[in-house]
Amino acid sequence: GRVKESGEKHKGSVEIPNLSEENEVNDTEINVSKRKGEGDVLKELMRTEGTIKVRAALRDYLKALKTEFTLGMLLPTKATAGQELAAEQKLSGNTMQDSVSPQSLDIVGVKIPTVKILLREIFNSPADKFYSIFTTKELVQKFSKYPAVIEAEKGGKLQMFDGCVSGEYEELVPSQRIVLKWRCRNWPYEHYATVALNFKDMAPQTELQLECNGVPVSSEDSTRQCWKKQYFEGIHILLQQSKDNVE
């Protein structure tokens, strides 16, 4: 920093020894130090106003980490992918979750092992209105809390969660079915899964039957959590808010 009165520059350091998502940011310890001499006014400024700005940046950082982890940002190298395939093949059918099909394990695209994910969820909305949540830009942005690109037509582009998820629409049957070419940003280059969203009308509710083919094995858990936390929970909240507004 620079002292306004004298114009002198001084260097110091900021140390954050206990940053963790388990701790409140306001409880995070922030240590400020500098060499002895003039410029202590800068040190004091960093301890007061500077600490406020540092904590604000830490909140944004932790929020970004949680979002990117949930959306499958941590992926294996090409070397570890082969090791994970070998380990996965040693698993017996009895040790795998019911929602994962052992036969779906495959080598596609850039020679990575993949898996199929099956999910079901019931939403308090008729099928026609529920279908629009996946095809209307304004509604997508409301439940995702991020700007989105939604071109709901065959071949139309899809981008959500600040670019962490992208793809395109491959099939649209109003109130019944949507098929997406879908990927997380840090999946291997140009590798896409195929996501089929089938809407079962159970008026006044809708059962969503999701089938996601081609998910990298290493990203199975994070992809499952992406749909449950980022999509399903967000949509449930949106529907509840809409219901409250009507009442």
Side-chain angles (χ1 to χ4, degrees):
R2 183 192 300 270
V3 179
K4 185 175 181 181
E5 289 77 8
S6 64
E8 293 180 351
K9 291 182 179 180
H10 296 272
K11 292 184 178 181
S13 63
V14 176
E15 181 185 18
I16 305 166
N18 65 333
L19 178 62
S20 169
E21 64 175 348
E22 297 178 358
N23 300 329
E24 291 292 334
V25 172
N26 287 339
D27 297 331
T28 301
E29 185 178 354
I30 299 177
N31 300 325
V32 180
S33 61
K34 66 172 291 295
R35 292 181 179 178
K36 292 182 179 180
E38 295 183 2
D40 285 341
V41 64
L42 294 176
K43 181 178 179 180
E44 186 61 28
L45 185 63
M46 279 301 301
R47 283 177 171 172
T48 54
E49 298 297 324
T51 295
I52 295 173
K53 292 184 179 296
V54 169
R55 287 199 169 113
L58 294 179
R59 289 189 189 94
D60 292 340
Y61 174 66
L62 288 175
K63 181 179 178 182
L65 278 183
K66 290 178 181 179
T67 300
E68 295 208 345
F69 175 78
T70 303
L71 294 175
M73 296 297 102
L74 302 179
L75 297 168
T77 62
K78 291 182 178 180
T80 59
Q83 296 169 0
E84 288 177 355
L85 174 59
E88 187 74 17
Q89 289 173 335
K90 291 180 181 178
L91 293 175
S92 68
N94 294 331
T95 63
M96 301 188 73
Q97 297 184 27
D98 292 340
S99 58
V100 179
S101 170
Q103 291 83 6
S104 66
L105 205 59
D106 193 12
I107 301 294
V108 298
V110 292
K111 305 295 184 183
I112 63 171
T114 67
V115 70
K116 176 169 67 176
I117 293 175
L118 301 175
L119 295 172
R120 292 174 183 264
E121 187 85 3
I122 294 177
F123 296 88
N124 292 320
S125 172
D128 56 344
K129 292 184 178 179
F130 186 65
Y131 174 89
S132 67
I133 292 177
F134 289 90
T135 56
T136 306
K137 179 178 179 179
E138 291 74 18
L139 295 178
V140 170
Q141 292 181 155
K142 281 185 178 180
F143 85 74
S144 69
K145 309 300 184 185
Y146 284 96
V149 175
I150 302 295
E151 300 174 356
E153 59 183 16
K154 187 172 182 179
K157 300 301 180 185
L158 167 76
Q159 185 170 302
M160 299 175 61
F161 305 110
D162 198 28
C164 289
V165 165
S166 62
E168 65 181 51
Y169 291 86
E170 293 193 325
E171 180 183 348
L172 297 103
V173 181
S175 305
Q176 297 181 33
R177 176 178 170 86
I178 297 174
V179 178
L180 304 170
K181 182 180 177 182
W182 188 93
R183 64 175 267 110
C184 289
R185 181 167 57 195
N186 278 18
W187 282 6
Y189 181 68
E190 286 299 297
H191 178 82
Y192 288 85
T194 298
V195 176
L197 306 170
N198 292 293
F199 307 102
K200 183 179 179 181
D201 195 353
M202 302 167 56
Q205 298 178 317
T206 298
E207 181 184 73
L208 174 63
Q209 301 172 350
L210 181 147
E211 181 176 312
C212 190
N213 275 297
V215 176
V217 168
S218 59
S219 298
E220 177 192 334
D221 289 340
S222 58
T223 301
R224 189 187 307 279
Q225 290 304 310
C226 169
W227 281 99
K228 288 183 177 181
K229 299 291 185 181
Q230 304 296 324
Y231 281 87
F232 294 176
E233 286 190 9
I235 292 173
H236 279 303
I237 292 172
L238 174 62
L239 292 174
Q240 184 59 48
Q241 290 173 342
S242 299
K243 180 181 178 181
D244 293 342
N245 291 336
V246 170
E247 294 177 351

